Amino acid sequence: MTSNGNSSNGNSSHQQNDWATNPRWNGITRPYSQADVEKLRGSVRVEHTLAKLGAERLWKLLQEEEFVRALGATTGNQAVQQVKAGLKAIYVSGWQVAADANNAGQMYPDQSLYPADSVPNLIRRINQALMRADQVHHAEGNDETYWFAPMVADAEAGFGGNLNAFELMKAMIEAGAACVHFEDQLSSAKKCGHLAGKVLVPTVEAIHKLVAARLAADVMGVPTLILARTDADSATLLTSDIDPRDREFITGERTAEGFFRISGGIESAIARGLAYAPYVDLIWCETSKPDLAEAREFAEGIHAKYPGKMLAYNCSPSFNWKKNLDDATIARFQDELASMGYKFQFITLAGFHALNLTMFELARTYRQSGMTAYCELQEKEFESERAHDYEAVKHQRFVGTGYFDAVQQVITSGTASTTAMEGSTEAAQFSQAKATSPATVTVSSAAAD
Protein backbone atom coordinates (compact mmCIF):
# COMPACT_ATOMS: atom_id res chain seq x y z
CA MET A 1 0.00 0.00 0.00
CA THR A 2 1.17 3.50 -0.66
CA SER A 3 0.12 6.95 0.38
CA ASN A 4 0.92 10.46 -0.73
CA GLY A 5 4.38 11.19 0.61
CA ASN A 6 4.56 14.95 -0.06
CA SER A 7 6.31 16.41 2.95
CA SER A 8 6.32 19.89 4.39
CA ASN A 9 8.35 21.83 6.88
CA GLY A 10 5.48 21.26 9.31
CA ASN A 11 5.69 17.50 8.97
CA SER A 12 9.46 17.63 9.31
CA SER A 13 9.22 19.69 12.49
CA HIS A 14 6.60 17.30 13.90
CA GLN A 15 8.84 14.30 13.35
CA GLN A 16 11.85 16.10 14.81
CA ASN A 17 9.76 16.85 17.89
CA ASP A 18 8.73 13.20 18.12
CA TRP A 19 12.37 12.15 18.19
CA ALA A 20 12.92 14.58 21.06
CA THR A 21 9.83 13.77 23.16
CA ASN A 22 8.68 10.20 22.40
CA PRO A 23 9.96 7.75 25.07
CA ARG A 24 10.64 5.29 22.26
CA TRP A 25 13.66 7.37 21.29
CA ASN A 26 15.10 8.01 24.74
CA GLY A 27 18.86 7.68 24.59
CA ILE A 28 18.98 7.47 20.78
CA THR A 29 21.30 9.87 18.92
CA ARG A 30 20.72 10.73 15.28
CA PRO A 31 23.52 12.77 13.68
CA TYR A 32 21.09 13.97 11.01
CA SER A 33 17.82 15.89 10.84
CA GLN A 34 14.29 15.00 9.79
CA ALA A 35 14.84 17.29 6.80
CA ASP A 36 17.63 14.94 5.72
CA VAL A 37 15.22 12.01 6.02
CA GLU A 38 12.50 13.76 4.01
CA LYS A 39 15.00 14.62 1.29
CA LEU A 40 16.00 10.97 0.91
CA ARG A 41 12.54 9.47 1.31
CA GLY A 42 11.05 10.21 -2.11
CA SER A 43 7.58 11.47 -2.90
CA VAL A 44 5.71 8.18 -2.40
CA ARG A 45 5.41 6.55 1.01
CA VAL A 46 5.35 2.75 0.96
CA GLU A 47 3.78 1.11 4.01
CA HIS A 48 5.74 -1.75 5.62
CA THR A 49 3.06 -3.21 7.85
CA LEU A 50 4.74 -6.37 9.13
CA ALA A 51 7.97 -4.59 9.96
CA LYS A 52 6.11 -1.80 11.75
CA LEU A 53 3.89 -4.17 13.73
CA GLY A 54 6.89 -6.33 14.59
CA ALA A 55 9.02 -3.42 15.77
CA GLU A 56 6.23 -1.99 17.91
CA ARG A 57 5.44 -5.39 19.41
CA LEU A 58 9.08 -6.22 20.16
CA TRP A 59 9.61 -2.85 21.81
CA LYS A 60 6.51 -3.43 23.96
CA LEU A 61 7.68 -6.92 24.95
CA LEU A 62 11.11 -5.61 25.90
CA GLN A 63 9.52 -3.00 28.16
CA GLU A 64 6.97 -5.31 29.79
CA GLU A 65 8.65 -8.72 30.01
CA GLU A 66 11.47 -9.64 32.37
CA PHE A 67 13.28 -10.73 29.21
CA VAL A 68 12.39 -12.06 25.77
CA ARG A 69 13.51 -15.56 24.76
CA ALA A 70 14.04 -16.64 21.16
CA LEU A 71 15.33 -19.58 19.15
CA GLY A 72 16.94 -19.42 15.73
CA ALA A 73 14.54 -20.63 13.01
CA THR A 74 15.84 -21.89 9.69
CA THR A 75 12.46 -22.63 8.04
CA GLY A 76 8.99 -21.18 8.11
CA ASN A 77 7.63 -24.34 9.73
CA GLN A 78 10.13 -24.08 12.57
CA ALA A 79 8.99 -20.52 13.20
CA VAL A 80 5.34 -21.60 13.26
CA GLN A 81 6.15 -24.30 15.83
CA GLN A 82 8.03 -21.79 17.98
CA VAL A 83 5.07 -19.43 18.06
CA LYS A 84 2.58 -22.25 18.65
CA ALA A 85 4.71 -23.42 21.59
CA GLY A 86 4.51 -19.96 23.14
CA LEU A 87 7.71 -18.14 22.21
CA LYS A 88 7.09 -14.46 21.56
CA ALA A 89 10.00 -13.64 19.22
CA ILE A 90 12.05 -15.37 16.53
CA TYR A 91 15.75 -15.11 15.78
CA VAL A 92 16.96 -15.29 12.16
CA SER A 93 20.60 -16.33 12.15
CA GLY A 94 23.10 -15.57 9.41
CA TRP A 95 25.01 -18.69 10.47
CA GLN A 96 21.97 -20.86 9.78
CA VAL A 97 21.36 -19.08 6.49
CA ALA A 98 24.95 -19.77 5.49
CA ALA A 99 24.64 -23.43 6.46
CA ASP A 100 21.34 -24.34 4.84
CA ALA A 101 19.02 -21.52 3.81
CA ASN A 102 20.82 -19.20 1.38
CA ASN A 103 19.98 -18.10 -2.13
CA ALA A 104 23.11 -19.70 -3.57
CA GLY A 105 21.82 -23.13 -2.54
CA GLN A 106 25.20 -23.88 -0.96
CA MET A 107 26.33 -25.16 2.43
CA TYR A 108 28.70 -22.47 3.71
CA PRO A 109 30.55 -21.69 6.93
CA ASP A 110 29.63 -18.43 8.64
CA GLN A 111 31.96 -16.18 6.63
CA SER A 112 29.53 -13.97 4.69
CA LEU A 113 29.90 -16.14 1.59
CA TYR A 114 26.21 -16.19 0.75
CA PRO A 115 24.28 -13.60 -1.31
CA ALA A 116 23.40 -10.52 0.72
CA ASP A 117 19.65 -10.86 0.14
CA SER A 118 19.51 -14.36 1.68
CA VAL A 119 18.50 -13.31 5.21
CA PRO A 120 15.75 -10.95 3.95
CA ASN A 121 14.43 -13.81 1.83
CA LEU A 122 14.31 -16.15 4.82
CA ILE A 123 12.51 -13.46 6.83
CA ARG A 124 9.99 -13.23 4.00
CA ARG A 125 9.52 -17.01 3.96
CA ILE A 126 9.00 -17.10 7.71
CA ASN A 127 6.48 -14.28 7.59
CA GLN A 128 4.59 -16.05 4.81
CA ALA A 129 4.46 -19.24 6.89
CA LEU A 130 3.20 -17.27 9.89
CA MET A 131 0.64 -15.59 7.67
CA ARG A 132 -0.64 -18.95 6.46
CA ALA A 133 -0.97 -20.19 10.04
CA ASP A 134 -2.91 -17.04 10.89
CA GLN A 135 -5.20 -17.50 7.87
CA VAL A 136 -5.89 -21.17 8.66
CA HIS A 137 -6.78 -20.45 12.27
CA HIS A 138 -8.76 -17.30 11.55
CA ALA A 139 -10.84 -19.16 8.95
CA GLU A 140 -11.64 -21.72 11.65
CA GLY A 141 -12.74 -18.96 14.00
CA ASN A 142 -9.68 -19.32 16.22
CA ASP A 143 -7.79 -16.09 16.91
CA GLU A 144 -6.24 -17.15 20.21
CA THR A 145 -2.65 -17.05 18.92
CA TYR A 146 -0.85 -13.93 17.74
CA TRP A 147 1.18 -15.47 14.94
CA PHE A 148 3.31 -12.56 13.80
CA ALA A 149 6.11 -12.90 16.31
CA PRO A 150 8.71 -10.14 15.80
CA MET A 151 11.92 -11.26 14.13
CA VAL A 152 15.42 -10.24 15.17
CA ALA A 153 17.62 -10.64 12.10
CA ASP A 154 21.33 -10.93 11.40
CA ALA A 155 22.85 -8.35 9.03
CA GLU A 156 26.35 -9.71 9.62
CA ALA A 157 28.93 -6.93 9.16
CA GLY A 158 26.74 -5.24 6.55
CA PHE A 159 28.18 -7.01 3.47
CA GLY A 160 30.26 -3.97 2.57
CA GLY A 161 30.44 -0.29 3.42
CA ASN A 162 27.92 2.21 4.72
CA LEU A 163 25.80 2.14 1.57
CA ASN A 164 25.65 -1.66 1.67
CA ALA A 165 24.44 -1.48 5.27
CA PHE A 166 21.85 1.13 4.30
CA GLU A 167 20.46 -1.02 1.48
CA LEU A 168 20.57 -4.24 3.48
CA MET A 169 18.62 -2.58 6.30
CA LYS A 170 15.98 -1.51 3.79
CA ALA A 171 15.73 -5.07 2.49
CA MET A 172 15.31 -6.38 6.04
CA ILE A 173 12.45 -3.95 6.64
CA GLU A 174 10.78 -4.77 3.33
CA ALA A 175 10.87 -8.45 4.36
CA GLY A 176 9.31 -7.65 7.74
CA ALA A 177 12.15 -7.70 10.31
CA ALA A 178 11.47 -6.06 13.66
CA CYS A 179 15.09 -5.70 14.79
CA VAL A 180 18.38 -5.98 12.90
CA HIS A 181 21.86 -6.46 14.30
CA PHE A 182 25.19 -5.37 12.84
CA GLU A 183 28.61 -6.45 14.11
CA ASP A 184 31.90 -4.60 14.09
CA GLN A 185 33.96 -7.03 12.00
CA LEU A 186 35.49 -6.35 8.60
CA SER A 187 32.82 -7.58 6.19
CA SER A 188 35.29 -9.06 3.68
CA ALA A 189 36.90 -11.15 6.41
CA LYS A 190 33.81 -11.78 8.55
CA LYS A 191 33.79 -14.86 10.79
CA CYS A 192 31.40 -16.50 13.19
CA GLY A 193 32.02 -14.96 16.61
CA HIS A 194 33.28 -18.33 17.82
CA LEU A 195 35.88 -18.76 15.08
CA ALA A 196 39.45 -17.45 15.05
CA GLY A 197 40.90 -14.81 12.75
CA LYS A 198 38.30 -12.10 13.36
CA VAL A 199 39.21 -8.61 12.12
CA LEU A 200 37.57 -5.53 13.65
CA VAL A 201 36.94 -2.28 11.83
CA PRO A 202 37.68 1.01 13.60
CA THR A 203 35.03 2.02 16.10
CA VAL A 204 34.03 5.01 13.98
CA GLU A 205 33.42 2.80 10.96
CA ALA A 206 31.14 0.53 12.97
CA ILE A 207 29.23 3.57 14.21
CA HIS A 208 28.73 4.79 10.65
CA LYS A 209 27.06 1.48 9.76
CA LEU A 210 24.76 1.75 12.76
CA VAL A 211 23.83 5.27 11.68
CA ALA A 212 23.24 3.98 8.14
CA ALA A 213 20.84 1.37 9.53
CA ARG A 214 18.94 3.95 11.60
CA LEU A 215 18.75 6.30 8.64
CA ALA A 216 17.35 3.50 6.46
CA ALA A 217 14.64 2.76 9.02
CA ASP A 218 13.74 6.45 9.30
CA VAL A 219 13.61 6.85 5.55
CA MET A 220 11.24 3.89 5.36
CA GLY A 221 9.14 5.22 8.24
CA VAL A 222 9.49 2.16 10.50
CA PRO A 223 10.66 2.20 14.16
CA THR A 224 12.90 -0.83 13.60
CA LEU A 225 15.12 -1.71 16.54
CA ILE A 226 18.87 -1.77 16.00
CA LEU A 227 21.17 -4.10 17.90
CA ALA A 228 24.92 -3.50 17.92
CA ARG A 229 27.14 -6.54 18.34
CA THR A 230 30.80 -6.29 19.24
CA ASP A 231 33.29 -9.10 18.69
CA ALA A 232 36.02 -7.23 20.56
CA ASP A 233 36.08 -9.73 23.42
CA SER A 234 37.89 -12.36 21.34
CA ALA A 235 39.02 -10.55 18.16
CA THR A 236 42.79 -10.15 17.71
CA LEU A 237 43.06 -7.98 14.57
CA LEU A 238 42.10 -4.43 13.56
CA THR A 239 42.10 -2.88 10.10
CA SER A 240 43.30 0.62 11.06
CA ASP A 241 44.50 2.71 13.99
CA ILE A 242 42.64 5.79 12.76
CA ASP A 243 40.26 5.93 15.75
CA PRO A 244 41.90 7.08 19.03
CA ARG A 245 39.41 4.94 20.98
CA ASP A 246 41.02 1.80 19.56
CA ARG A 247 44.67 2.66 20.14
CA GLU A 248 44.96 1.55 23.75
CA PHE A 249 44.23 -2.01 22.64
CA ILE A 250 46.80 -2.11 19.79
CA THR A 251 49.90 -4.18 20.62
CA GLY A 252 52.15 -2.55 18.01
CA GLU A 253 52.54 -5.62 15.82
CA ARG A 254 51.35 -5.82 12.21
CA THR A 255 50.33 -8.88 10.22
CA ALA A 256 51.29 -9.90 6.68
CA GLU A 257 47.98 -8.42 5.49
CA GLY A 258 48.75 -5.10 7.19
CA PHE A 259 46.28 -5.56 10.06
CA PHE A 260 47.10 -4.31 13.54
CA ARG A 261 47.26 -6.90 16.28
CA ILE A 262 45.11 -6.02 19.29
CA SER A 263 44.52 -7.35 22.76
CA GLY A 264 40.89 -8.33 22.92
CA GLY A 265 38.98 -8.90 26.13
CA ILE A 266 36.05 -7.56 28.08
CA GLU A 267 37.58 -4.09 28.53
CA SER A 268 37.83 -3.69 24.76
CA ALA A 269 34.26 -4.94 24.37
CA ILE A 270 32.99 -2.47 26.96
CA ALA A 271 34.78 0.40 25.21
CA ARG A 272 33.10 -0.55 21.95
CA GLY A 273 29.72 -1.00 23.61
CA LEU A 274 29.93 2.45 25.15
CA ALA A 275 30.77 3.97 21.78
CA TYR A 276 27.81 2.25 20.10
CA ALA A 277 25.25 2.82 22.86
CA PRO A 278 23.95 6.24 21.74
CA TYR A 279 23.03 4.92 18.30
CA VAL A 280 21.26 1.65 19.12
CA ASP A 281 18.44 0.11 21.11
CA LEU A 282 20.36 -2.93 22.37
CA ILE A 283 23.99 -4.01 22.72
CA TRP A 284 25.39 -7.54 22.40
CA CYS A 285 28.88 -8.65 23.40
CA GLU A 286 29.77 -11.95 21.71
CA THR A 287 31.52 -14.12 24.27
CA SER A 288 33.67 -17.26 24.16
CA LYS A 289 31.89 -19.16 26.94
CA PRO A 290 28.83 -18.83 29.19
CA ASP A 291 30.17 -16.82 32.11
CA LEU A 292 27.89 -14.89 34.47
CA ALA A 293 30.78 -12.94 35.97
CA GLU A 294 31.90 -11.74 32.55
CA ALA A 295 28.32 -10.91 31.61
CA ARG A 296 27.97 -8.87 34.78
CA GLU A 297 31.23 -7.01 34.14
CA PHE A 298 30.06 -6.05 30.65
CA ALA A 299 26.62 -4.99 31.87
CA GLU A 300 28.03 -2.89 34.70
CA GLY A 301 30.53 -1.30 32.33
CA ILE A 302 27.75 -0.21 29.97
CA HIS A 303 25.25 0.80 32.64
CA ALA A 304 27.77 2.93 34.52
CA LYS A 305 27.44 5.44 31.68
CA TYR A 306 24.14 4.41 30.09
CA PRO A 307 21.81 3.18 32.85
CA GLY A 308 18.99 1.05 31.54
CA LYS A 309 20.51 0.45 28.11
CA MET A 310 19.11 -2.89 27.00
CA LEU A 311 21.51 -5.76 26.40
CA ALA A 312 21.32 -9.01 24.42
CA TYR A 313 23.01 -12.36 25.07
CA ASN A 314 23.75 -15.23 22.72
CA CYS A 315 23.19 -18.50 24.61
CA SER A 316 25.23 -20.14 21.92
CA PRO A 317 25.35 -23.81 20.87
CA SER A 318 29.05 -23.17 20.27
CA PHE A 319 29.44 -23.43 24.05
CA ASN A 320 29.73 -26.82 25.72
CA TRP A 321 27.29 -25.83 28.42
CA LYS A 322 27.78 -28.69 30.85
CA LYS A 323 31.55 -28.48 30.51
CA ASN A 324 31.40 -24.85 31.61
CA LEU A 325 28.53 -24.80 34.14
CA ASP A 326 26.80 -27.05 36.63
CA ASP A 327 23.10 -27.89 36.33
CA ALA A 328 21.99 -25.40 38.96
CA THR A 329 23.81 -22.53 37.24
CA ILE A 330 22.41 -23.53 33.85
CA ALA A 331 18.88 -23.55 35.30
CA ARG A 332 19.17 -20.01 36.66
CA PHE A 333 21.42 -18.66 33.91
CA GLN A 334 18.82 -16.69 31.96
CA ASP A 335 17.13 -15.26 35.05
CA GLU A 336 20.52 -14.08 36.29
CA LEU A 337 21.21 -12.45 32.94
CA ALA A 338 17.82 -10.75 33.01
CA SER A 339 18.60 -9.22 36.40
CA MET A 340 21.68 -7.63 34.79
CA GLY A 341 19.64 -6.04 31.96
CA TYR A 342 19.99 -8.70 29.25
CA LYS A 343 16.49 -8.22 27.82
CA PHE A 344 16.87 -10.35 24.68
CA GLN A 345 18.31 -13.84 25.10
CA PHE A 346 18.49 -16.26 22.21
CA ILE A 347 19.94 -19.54 20.98
CA THR A 348 21.29 -18.70 17.55
CA LEU A 349 21.55 -22.17 16.01
CA ALA A 350 18.62 -23.92 17.66
CA GLY A 351 16.95 -24.63 14.32
CA PHE A 352 20.07 -26.20 12.82
CA HIS A 353 20.66 -28.52 15.78
CA ALA A 354 17.01 -29.49 16.27
CA LEU A 355 16.58 -30.26 12.56
CA ASN A 356 19.74 -32.33 12.31
CA LEU A 357 19.39 -34.39 15.49
CA THR A 358 15.69 -35.15 14.94
CA MET A 359 16.24 -36.35 11.39
CA PHE A 360 19.40 -38.29 12.27
CA GLU A 361 17.61 -40.16 15.07
CA LEU A 362 14.63 -40.95 12.84
CA ALA A 363 16.88 -42.16 10.01
CA ARG A 364 19.01 -44.24 12.40
CA THR A 365 16.05 -46.00 13.99
CA TYR A 366 14.21 -46.33 10.66
CA ARG A 367 17.23 -48.13 9.23
CA GLN A 368 17.15 -50.51 12.17
CA SER A 369 13.43 -51.15 12.63
CA GLY A 370 11.57 -49.82 9.59
CA MET A 371 8.00 -48.60 10.08
CA THR A 372 8.13 -49.23 13.81
CA ALA A 373 10.49 -46.28 14.07
CA TYR A 374 8.23 -43.95 12.12
CA CYS A 375 5.17 -45.07 14.07
CA GLU A 376 6.99 -44.18 17.28
CA LEU A 377 7.54 -40.68 15.90
CA GLN A 378 3.88 -40.42 14.90
CA GLU A 379 2.72 -41.56 18.33
CA LYS A 380 4.88 -38.85 19.89
CA GLU A 381 3.09 -36.37 17.63
CA PHE A 382 -0.32 -37.66 18.72
CA GLU A 383 0.70 -37.41 22.37
CA SER A 384 1.97 -33.85 21.89
CA GLU A 385 -1.29 -33.01 20.13
CA ARG A 386 -3.29 -34.30 23.10
CA ALA A 387 -1.10 -32.76 25.76
CA HIS A 388 0.13 -29.53 24.19
CA ASP A 389 -2.10 -28.81 21.17
CA TYR A 390 0.67 -29.58 18.67
CA GLU A 391 -0.86 -29.31 15.19
CA ALA A 392 1.54 -30.49 12.49
CA VAL A 393 0.53 -34.15 12.82
CA LYS A 394 -2.46 -33.17 10.66
CA HIS A 395 -0.13 -32.03 7.92
CA GLN A 396 -2.80 -31.35 5.25
CA ARG A 397 -4.69 -28.93 7.47
CA PHE A 398 -1.45 -27.45 8.78
CA VAL A 399 -0.30 -26.23 5.37
CA GLY A 400 -3.71 -24.81 4.45
CA THR A 401 -5.63 -27.44 2.46
CA GLY A 402 -8.85 -26.64 4.28
CA TYR A 403 -8.22 -22.91 3.92
CA PHE A 404 -7.98 -23.21 0.14
CA ASP A 405 -11.08 -25.42 0.11
CA ALA A 406 -12.84 -22.49 1.76
CA VAL A 407 -11.48 -20.16 -0.94
CA GLN A 408 -12.77 -22.51 -3.62
CA GLN A 409 -16.21 -22.72 -2.02
CA VAL A 410 -16.53 -18.95 -1.81
CA ILE A 411 -15.55 -18.61 -5.48
CA THR A 412 -18.09 -21.23 -6.58
CA SER A 413 -20.85 -20.22 -4.14
CA GLY A 414 -20.50 -23.54 -2.37
CA THR A 415 -20.88 -25.77 -5.43
CA ALA A 416 -17.30 -26.99 -5.89
CA SER A 417 -16.88 -30.77 -6.13
CA THR A 418 -13.08 -30.64 -6.16
CA THR A 419 -12.43 -29.65 -2.55
CA ALA A 420 -9.56 -31.64 -1.14
CA MET A 421 -10.06 -32.12 2.60
CA GLU A 422 -13.45 -33.78 2.85
CA GLY A 423 -12.98 -37.46 2.00
CA SER A 424 -9.21 -37.29 2.42
CA THR A 425 -7.29 -39.88 4.42
CA GLU A 426 -6.53 -37.20 6.99
CA ALA A 427 -10.21 -36.44 7.51
CA ALA A 428 -10.98 -40.14 7.81
CA GLN A 429 -8.11 -41.29 9.99
CA PHE A 430 -7.08 -38.30 12.12
CA SER A 431 -9.42 -36.97 14.78
CA GLN A 432 -10.85 -33.53 14.02
CA ALA A 433 -12.27 -33.00 17.47
CA LYS A 434 -10.47 -29.73 18.19
CA ALA A 435 -11.23 -27.76 15.06
CA THR A 436 -13.66 -27.65 12.16
CA SER A 437 -12.12 -27.55 8.72
CA PRO A 438 -12.65 -24.30 6.80
CA ALA A 439 -13.91 -26.50 3.98
CA THR A 440 -17.21 -26.75 5.87
CA VAL A 441 -17.82 -22.99 6.00
CA THR A 442 -21.39 -22.01 5.30
CA VAL A 443 -21.97 -19.92 2.20
CA SER A 444 -24.64 -17.30 2.65
CA SER A 445 -27.95 -17.83 0.88
CA ALA A 446 -27.45 -14.60 -1.02
CA ALA A 447 -24.18 -15.86 -2.44
CA ALA A 448 -25.67 -19.28 -3.17
CA ASP A 449 -28.47 -17.68 -5.10
Side-chain angles (χ1 to χ4, degrees), residues 136-165:
V136 168
H137 288 80
H138 182 75
E140 295 173 348
N142 179 1
D143 291 317
E144 295 176 358
T145 301
Y146 183 84
W147 290 99
F148 298 97
M151 275 180 266
V152 178
D154 186 353
E156 306 278 10
F159 287 87
N162 299 337
L163 301 184
N164 299 77

Side-chain angles (χ1 to χ4, degrees), residues 108-390:
Y108 283 133
D110 186 19
Q111 295 178 313
S112 291
L113 294 169
Y114 58 83
D117 60 345
S118 296
V119 170
N121 281 343
L122 178 56
I123 294 168
R124 194 170 291 109
R125 284 174 54 200
I126 289 174
N127 265 326
Q128 288 167 344
L130 296 174
M131 190 173 295
R132 182 70 72 231
D134 176 73
Q135 291 166 342
V136 168
H137 288 80
H138 182 75
E140 295 173 348
N142 179 1
D143 291 317
E144 295 176 358
T145 301
Y146 183 84
W147 290 99
F148 298 97
M151 275 180 266
V152 178
D154 186 353
E156 306 278 10
F159 287 87
N162 299 337
L163 301 184
N164 299 77
F166 179 81
E167 287 297 295
L168 180 56
M169 185 68 171
K170 287 169 57 182
M172 295 286 198
I173 293 169
E174 288 170 348
C179 174
V180 182
H181 70 77
F182 290 80
E183 61 205 53
D184 52 9
Q185 291 189 47
L186 174 65
S187 60
S188 61
K190 191 266 177 190
K191 306 284 196 310
C192 168
H194 301 108
L195 293 174
K198 294 184 293 294
V199 184
L200 300 183
V201 297
T203 296
V204 67
E205 183 176 333
I207 289 173
H208 286 162
K209 288 186 181 178
L210 298 172
V211 172
R214 181 73 70 192
L215 177 62
D218 287 340
V219 165
M220 299 186 82
V222 179
T224 311
L225 283 76
I226 297 174
L227 167 56
R229 167 177 142 180
T230 180
D231 284 272
D233 184 44
S234 60
T236 58
L237 302 171
L238 176 70
T239 60
S240 169
D241 64 351
I242 191 67
D243 194 317
R245 289 169 289 194
D246 299 327
R247 291 174 189 162
E248 66 176 292
F249 304 105
I250 296 175
T251 66
E253 300 171 71
R254 301 289 292 271
T255 70
E257 301 90 347
F259 299 136
F260 292 82
R261 292 198 182 276
I262 57 173
S263 56
I266 199 66
E267 290 185 4
S268 177
I270 291 170
R272 292 254 171 169
L274 290 172
Y276 305 154
Y279 306 98
V280 299
D281 301 288
L282 302 100
I283 304 170
W284 160 15
C285 171
E286 187 70 304
T287 62
S288 300
K289 61 182 179 180
D291 186 326
L292 288 171
E294 183 181 53
R296 183 174 290 105
E297 185 177 357
F298 182 80
E300 290 175 351
I302 299 301
H303 292 153
K305 185 173 182 180
Y306 297 102
K309 179 62 72 171
M310 294 186 292
L311 307 174
Y313 196 94
N314 175 12
C315 299
S316 176
S318 292
F319 306 152
N320 185 330
W321 283 81
K322 291 217 170 186
K323 187 174 182 179
N324 284 281
L325 304 173
D326 59 40
D327 289 347
T329 305
I330 291 171
R332 71 173 195 272
F333 193 82
Q334 291 192 303
D335 289 333
E336 290 271 354
L337 288 176
S339 71
M340 303 173 198
Y342 289 90
K343 298 288 290 184
F344 183 66
Q345 300 180 36
F346 53 110
I347 303 177
T348 46
L349 316 184
F352 173 89
H353 286 280
L355 182 155
N356 280 286
L357 179 59
T358 302
M359 181 51 68
F360 176 79
E361 289 299 326
L362 174 59
R364 183 181 63 81
T365 55
Y366 178 63
R367 175 182 59 82
Q368 294 171 341
S369 54
M371 285 311 301
T372 298
Y374 185 78
C375 289
E376 289 175 354
L377 172 68
Q378 192 175 64
E379 287 302 311
K380 289 180 180 178
E381 288 190 284
F382 286 137
E383 176 56 32
S384 188
E385 180 186 44
R386 288 188 293 269
H388 307 296
D389 204 22
Y390 169 79

Side-chain angles (χ1 to χ4, degrees), residues 74 95-102 106-108 125 352 355-356:
T74 193
W95 194 105
Q96 291 190 155
V97 165
D100 200 20
N102 61 76
Q106 295 283 352
M107 179 186 286
Y108 283 133
R125 284 174 54 200
F352 173 89
L355 182 155
N356 280 286

